[in-house]
Amino acid sequence: MAGFVLQRLMQAVVVMLVMSALVFVGVYAIGNPIDVLISPDATQDIRAATIARYGLDLPLWEQYFAFLGRVLSGDFGTSFVYGIPVTQLILTRLPATLELTLTAIFGATLVGVPLGMYAGYRPDRIFSRVVMGLSILGFSVPTFWIGLVLIFVFAVDLGWLPAGGRGETVSLFGVEWSFLTLDGLRHMLLPALNLSLFKFAMMVRLARSGTRETMSSDVVKFARAAGLSEWTVLSRHVLRLIAIPIVTVFGLELASTLAFAVVTETIFSWPGLGKLVIESITALDRPVMVAYLVIVSFVFIAINLSVDLAYAALDPRLSKGRS
Amino acid sequence: MTGPILRVRDLTTRFRSRAGTVTVVDGVSFTLDRGEVLGLVGESGSGKSMTGFSLIGLVDEPGRVEPTASVELDGRELVGLAEPEMRALRGRRISMVFQDPMMTLNPVLSIGDQMGLVIAAHHRMSRADMATRAAEALTRVGIPEARARLDAYPHQFSGGMRQRVAIAIAILNHPAVIIADEPTTALDVSIQAQILVELQRLAREDGTAMIWISHDLATVSTVADRVAVMYAGRIVEHGPTTAVLSRPRHPYTRGLLDSLPSRGEPGHDLAQIPGAPPSLAALPPGCAFAPRCGHADAACGVAPPATEVGPRGWRCHHPLEEARR
């Protein structure tokens, strides 16, 4: 097991290095940041001085190693637009995305998996059909449209919930969180719901198909023949058997939502990472884009690693085969 | 207590769908004494497994055991019993072992966990007591170092060992009846013999009665005290194993015996029963075996009556002669 973890950690380091190089070169190739940094009518002297100050006159590889060195010490440079260190900027935005994404995806899983299991267990019940209908809706209706409808209905017409913003926040570990205040939770409800619908639909379908397949298996027949109650069969046997695809999708969705909650964050003016990166791309704010991409790769790798470890815990055949 | 442990009368299971009604088990009756092994023999689709599932009340929708049937376990009527009461009996008084041990054990739960669930379904006891009981059951089916193996997972056992584990799960709560549905079919021949002996020994030691479902006459002849031959959902012949297998009265039993490779003369073509088992949805009227039977005539268009002679019985208009062999 330890060998497996070590091997995966080393792979992760290599992937991170390749990613950082790709990101750096990719971003270097687009646009000229000098145009953003100084006004078009600045003198040639000022222009040269600025270029020298940001090290933009050095060869690409030297710039890359300088960049790598700074990144390793946690320094992503200073935002061209905001004029504050990128690390600090991201730290103010990350918690917003984190709390929104985690709420959405945990909600989707904790509600979707039991409903999906029920729909797979009793496929002919009306309730199961309603659940499946909802999941088709969640799959096929675009996120931005649902977001707008949610705002129309709950914020504009009914006036029950705020249409955007984070609301009141509380400081914890030096960063601001919304989920600790009632007002913050009220602000989070609509965007989280919006974000969770697709994931909910996915979890329902996964759990349903897995349960349907497993219910007709010999494992279930044998468990029933031994007198286990239906609840025990479902909660102890079936849930464990269908867990692996669910954990896989959970990890993938968690990572991609953390990185790309852009649409929802924009519609609900949620000041998260997705919104920040879109703004940075339009403003050619290179340090922010680079830092964002590096952090996103890191998040993906970390989550994939945890998913792999979860597999080993869920299916003993995997851990024994690898150790 | 005296009398048979299991008395089955007119067990009939039907699947109703829009396409029509299919009778998969048709008027099956038999009794089973304590410690007795009954072999239930027939081709695939003859309704022998479905008979097993009907007995423990686990027929999948839209199948249903007809309420006119009667299954008495230890004097208690099981047909029409409410599900919670039936569940309390399953795995405690009557349990079942399946064909493929690769498929019946949950690959992601340890053996100890799976056994614990079965004990907890019927008894309240501490985890330590459960482990003791589980280890005892494993020891009884011949698994060495049982305590240590409780933490093992199914994939760490060989096929034969897995079937032993499945049997250990079936005997955990000391049932009065075990239904063994082709328990050796998926195993190597040498392992088959071991499992066979093991189950026989358990039946003898505990006085557990057993219904041994198989298409393999050779294994049935070694374990079963009595045998019942099924065709198209009906028992067409039954009686003491040696009598039925050495002097079959029903042409179908005869056909099955002749199909056994060991019975044929070396160098000769193996005898076959012509045709294929009929579709249960379109059974011929009268004797279901008639279209494949060399003795069939006009009389076979009417369902043959059950003939009972001493311990034996058959349903045939033209039973084979006792002496013919």
Short mmCIF file of all heavy atoms in Angstrom, two decimals, chain A residues 96 99 161-171 176-189 191 268-271:
data_model
loop_
_atom_site.label_atom_id
_atom_site.label_comp_id
_atom_site.label_asym_id
_atom_site.label_seq_id
_atom_site.Cartn_x
_atom_site.Cartn_y
_atom_site.Cartn_z
N ALA A 96 -14.87 30.79 -1.26
CA ALA A 96 -16.22 30.96 -1.81
C ALA A 96 -16.55 29.80 -2.73
O ALA A 96 -17.63 29.18 -2.63
CB ALA A 96 -16.31 32.29 -2.56
N GLU A 99 -16.78 26.34 -0.64
CA GLU A 99 -17.99 26.06 0.14
C GLU A 99 -19.19 25.83 -0.78
O GLU A 99 -20.02 24.97 -0.54
CB GLU A 99 -18.29 27.17 1.16
CG GLU A 99 -18.55 28.53 0.57
CD GLU A 99 -18.77 29.58 1.66
OE1 GLU A 99 -18.73 29.21 2.84
OE2 GLU A 99 -18.97 30.75 1.30
N LEU A 161 -35.45 34.48 -1.57
CA LEU A 161 -34.01 34.33 -1.44
C LEU A 161 -33.30 35.40 -2.26
O LEU A 161 -33.83 35.88 -3.26
CB LEU A 161 -33.59 32.94 -1.96
CG LEU A 161 -34.09 31.75 -1.14
CD1 LEU A 161 -33.97 30.46 -1.91
CD2 LEU A 161 -33.32 31.65 0.17
N PRO A 162 -32.10 35.80 -1.83
CA PRO A 162 -31.35 36.80 -2.57
C PRO A 162 -30.90 36.28 -3.93
O PRO A 162 -30.71 35.08 -4.11
CB PRO A 162 -30.15 37.09 -1.67
CG PRO A 162 -30.03 35.89 -0.81
CD PRO A 162 -31.41 35.34 -0.64
N ALA A 163 -30.73 37.18 -4.88
CA ALA A 163 -30.40 36.78 -6.24
C ALA A 163 -28.91 36.61 -6.46
O ALA A 163 -28.48 35.94 -7.39
CB ALA A 163 -30.93 37.80 -7.24
N GLY A 164 -28.07 37.21 -5.62
CA GLY A 164 -26.64 37.08 -5.85
C GLY A 164 -25.83 37.55 -4.65
O GLY A 164 -26.37 38.03 -3.66
N GLY A 165 -24.51 37.35 -4.77
CA GLY A 165 -23.61 37.76 -3.70
C GLY A 165 -23.45 36.69 -2.65
O GLY A 165 -24.10 35.65 -2.70
N ARG A 166 -22.51 36.91 -1.71
CA ARG A 166 -22.23 35.89 -0.71
C ARG A 166 -22.94 36.14 0.60
O ARG A 166 -22.97 35.30 1.47
CB ARG A 166 -20.72 35.84 -0.41
CG ARG A 166 -19.92 35.04 -1.38
CD ARG A 166 -18.49 34.93 -0.91
NE ARG A 166 -18.31 33.82 0.03
CZ ARG A 166 -17.16 33.54 0.60
NH1 ARG A 166 -16.10 34.28 0.36
NH2 ARG A 166 -17.05 32.51 1.42
N GLY A 167 -23.48 37.36 0.76
CA GLY A 167 -24.12 37.67 2.02
C GLY A 167 -23.11 37.85 3.13
O GLY A 167 -21.93 38.10 2.88
N GLU A 168 -23.60 37.71 4.35
CA GLU A 168 -22.76 37.92 5.52
C GLU A 168 -21.72 36.81 5.63
O GLU A 168 -22.05 35.64 5.41
CB GLU A 168 -23.67 37.87 6.75
CG GLU A 168 -23.21 38.70 7.91
CD GLU A 168 -24.23 38.59 9.02
OE1 GLU A 168 -25.42 38.88 8.77
OE2 GLU A 168 -23.85 38.19 10.11
N THR A 169 -20.49 37.15 5.95
CA THR A 169 -19.48 36.11 6.09
C THR A 169 -18.85 36.17 7.47
O THR A 169 -18.93 37.19 8.16
CB THR A 169 -18.36 36.24 5.05
OG1 THR A 169 -17.79 37.54 5.19
CG2 THR A 169 -18.89 36.05 3.65
N VAL A 170 -18.25 35.06 7.86
CA VAL A 170 -17.57 34.98 9.14
C VAL A 170 -16.14 34.56 8.86
O VAL A 170 -15.89 33.74 7.98
CB VAL A 170 -18.26 33.94 10.06
CG1 VAL A 170 -17.40 33.64 11.27
CG2 VAL A 170 -19.62 34.43 10.48
N SER A 171 -15.21 35.13 9.63
CA SER A 171 -13.82 34.81 9.40
C SER A 171 -13.41 33.57 10.19
O SER A 171 -13.66 33.48 11.39
CB SER A 171 -12.94 36.00 9.79
OG SER A 171 -11.61 35.71 9.48
N GLU A 176 -12.76 34.28 4.78
CA GLU A 176 -14.18 34.54 4.99
C GLU A 176 -15.03 33.37 4.51
O GLU A 176 -14.82 32.84 3.43
CB GLU A 176 -14.58 35.81 4.22
CG GLU A 176 -13.82 37.05 4.65
CD GLU A 176 -14.17 37.50 6.07
OE1 GLU A 176 -15.37 37.46 6.40
OE2 GLU A 176 -13.25 37.85 6.84
N TRP A 177 -16.00 32.98 5.31
CA TRP A 177 -16.90 31.88 4.94
C TRP A 177 -18.34 32.33 5.05
O TRP A 177 -18.70 33.05 5.98
CB TRP A 177 -16.69 30.66 5.84
CG TRP A 177 -15.30 30.11 5.81
CD1 TRP A 177 -14.27 30.44 6.63
CD2 TRP A 177 -14.77 29.16 4.89
NE1 TRP A 177 -13.14 29.76 6.30
CE2 TRP A 177 -13.42 28.94 5.22
CE3 TRP A 177 -15.33 28.45 3.83
CZ2 TRP A 177 -12.61 28.06 4.52
CZ3 TRP A 177 -14.51 27.57 3.14
CH2 TRP A 177 -13.16 27.38 3.49
N SER A 178 -19.18 31.85 4.12
CA SER A 178 -20.59 32.20 4.15
C SER A 178 -21.43 31.17 4.88
O SER A 178 -22.48 31.48 5.43
CB SER A 178 -21.15 32.31 2.72
OG SER A 178 -20.63 33.44 2.09
N PHE A 179 -20.95 29.91 4.88
CA PHE A 179 -21.83 28.84 5.35
C PHE A 179 -22.05 28.88 6.86
O PHE A 179 -22.83 28.12 7.39
CB PHE A 179 -21.30 27.48 4.90
CG PHE A 179 -20.10 26.98 5.67
CD1 PHE A 179 -20.28 26.10 6.73
CD2 PHE A 179 -18.81 27.39 5.34
CE1 PHE A 179 -19.18 25.64 7.44
CE2 PHE A 179 -17.73 26.92 6.05
CZ PHE A 179 -17.90 26.06 7.10
N LEU A 180 -21.33 29.79 7.54
CA LEU A 180 -21.47 29.84 8.99
C LEU A 180 -22.53 30.83 9.45
O LEU A 180 -22.85 30.89 10.63
CB LEU A 180 -20.12 30.18 9.64
CG LEU A 180 -19.06 29.08 9.47
CD1 LEU A 180 -17.70 29.56 9.92
CD2 LEU A 180 -19.46 27.83 10.25
N THR A 181 -23.08 31.62 8.53
CA THR A 181 -24.13 32.56 8.92
C THR A 181 -25.42 32.18 8.20
O THR A 181 -25.40 31.62 7.10
CB THR A 181 -23.77 34.00 8.54
OG1 THR A 181 -23.79 34.09 7.10
CG2 THR A 181 -22.41 34.39 9.05
N LEU A 182 -26.54 32.54 8.83
CA LEU A 182 -27.83 32.24 8.22
C LEU A 182 -27.98 32.99 6.90
O LEU A 182 -28.44 32.45 5.90
CB LEU A 182 -28.95 32.63 9.19
CG LEU A 182 -30.34 32.11 8.81
CD1 LEU A 182 -30.35 30.59 8.82
CD2 LEU A 182 -31.39 32.67 9.74
N ASP A 183 -27.53 34.25 6.91
CA ASP A 183 -27.64 35.07 5.70
C ASP A 183 -26.77 34.48 4.58
O ASP A 183 -27.20 34.39 3.43
CB ASP A 183 -27.21 36.51 6.02
CG ASP A 183 -27.41 37.41 4.82
OD1 ASP A 183 -28.55 37.44 4.30
OD2 ASP A 183 -26.44 38.07 4.40
N GLY A 184 -25.60 34.03 4.96
CA GLY A 184 -24.71 33.42 3.97
C GLY A 184 -25.33 32.16 3.39
O GLY A 184 -25.27 31.93 2.19
N LEU A 185 -25.95 31.35 4.24
CA LEU A 185 -26.60 30.13 3.77
C LEU A 185 -27.73 30.44 2.80
O LEU A 185 -27.91 29.78 1.79
CB LEU A 185 -27.13 29.32 4.95
CG LEU A 185 -26.10 28.49 5.71
CD1 LEU A 185 -26.74 27.80 6.89
CD2 LEU A 185 -25.44 27.47 4.80
N ARG A 186 -28.48 31.52 3.16
CA ARG A 186 -29.58 31.93 2.26
C ARG A 186 -29.03 32.32 0.89
O ARG A 186 -29.64 32.03 -0.13
CB ARG A 186 -30.34 33.11 2.88
CG ARG A 186 -31.48 32.69 3.81
CD ARG A 186 -31.94 33.84 4.67
NE ARG A 186 -32.10 35.09 3.91
CZ ARG A 186 -33.19 35.43 3.24
NH1 ARG A 186 -34.22 34.61 3.25
NH2 ARG A 186 -33.26 36.56 2.59
N HIS A 187 -27.88 32.98 0.90
CA HIS A 187 -27.27 33.37 -0.37
C HIS A 187 -26.75 32.15 -1.14
O HIS A 187 -26.70 32.16 -2.35
CB HIS A 187 -26.13 34.37 -0.14
CG HIS A 187 -26.58 35.76 0.04
ND1 HIS A 187 -27.09 36.22 1.24
CD2 HIS A 187 -26.63 36.81 -0.81
CE1 HIS A 187 -27.44 37.48 1.12
NE2 HIS A 187 -27.17 37.88 -0.13
N MET A 188 -26.32 31.14 -0.39
CA MET A 188 -25.69 30.00 -1.03
C MET A 188 -26.71 29.03 -1.62
O MET A 188 -26.40 28.28 -2.54
CB MET A 188 -24.83 29.25 -0.01
CG MET A 188 -23.64 28.59 -0.67
SD MET A 188 -22.80 27.38 0.31
CE MET A 188 -22.71 28.05 1.89
N LEU A 189 -27.93 29.05 -1.08
CA LEU A 189 -28.91 28.03 -1.44
C LEU A 189 -29.16 27.93 -2.95
O LEU A 189 -29.03 26.86 -3.55
CB LEU A 189 -30.22 28.30 -0.71
CG LEU A 189 -31.25 27.16 -0.81
CD1 LEU A 189 -30.70 25.87 -0.25
CD2 LEU A 189 -32.53 27.54 -0.11
N PRO A 191 -27.47 29.24 -5.74
CA PRO A 191 -26.35 28.78 -6.59
C PRO A 191 -25.97 27.32 -6.33
O PRO A 191 -25.66 26.59 -7.28
CB PRO A 191 -25.19 29.71 -6.22
CG PRO A 191 -25.62 30.50 -5.05
CD PRO A 191 -27.12 30.45 -4.99
N PHE A 268 -24.95 34.12 -10.46
CA PHE A 268 -25.32 34.50 -9.11
C PHE A 268 -24.31 35.48 -8.49
O PHE A 268 -24.29 35.65 -7.28
CB PHE A 268 -25.45 33.26 -8.23
CG PHE A 268 -26.63 32.40 -8.58
CD1 PHE A 268 -26.50 31.36 -9.47
CD2 PHE A 268 -27.88 32.66 -8.05
CE1 PHE A 268 -27.58 30.58 -9.80
CE2 PHE A 268 -28.97 31.88 -8.38
CZ PHE A 268 -28.82 30.84 -9.27
N SER A 269 -23.48 36.11 -9.31
CA SER A 269 -22.40 37.00 -8.85
C SER A 269 -21.73 36.46 -7.61
O SER A 269 -21.57 37.16 -6.62
CB SER A 269 -22.89 38.42 -8.56
OG SER A 269 -24.15 38.65 -9.04
N TRP A 270 -21.39 35.20 -7.65
CA TRP A 270 -20.71 34.55 -6.51
C TRP A 270 -19.21 34.79 -6.70
O TRP A 270 -18.64 34.34 -7.70
CB TRP A 270 -21.02 33.06 -6.52
CG TRP A 270 -20.57 32.33 -5.30
CD1 TRP A 270 -19.44 31.62 -5.16
CD2 TRP A 270 -21.27 32.25 -4.07
NE1 TRP A 270 -19.36 31.08 -3.92
CE2 TRP A 270 -20.47 31.47 -3.21
CE3 TRP A 270 -22.46 32.77 -3.57
CZ2 TRP A 270 -20.84 31.18 -1.91
CZ3 TRP A 270 -22.83 32.49 -2.29
CH2 TRP A 270 -22.03 31.70 -1.46
N PRO A 271 -18.57 35.50 -5.80
CA PRO A 271 -17.18 35.90 -6.04
C PRO A 271 -16.20 34.75 -5.86
O PRO A 271 -15.35 34.76 -4.98
CB PRO A 271 -16.96 36.99 -4.98
CG PRO A 271 -17.89 36.64 -3.89
CD PRO A 271 -19.08 35.97 -4.51
#
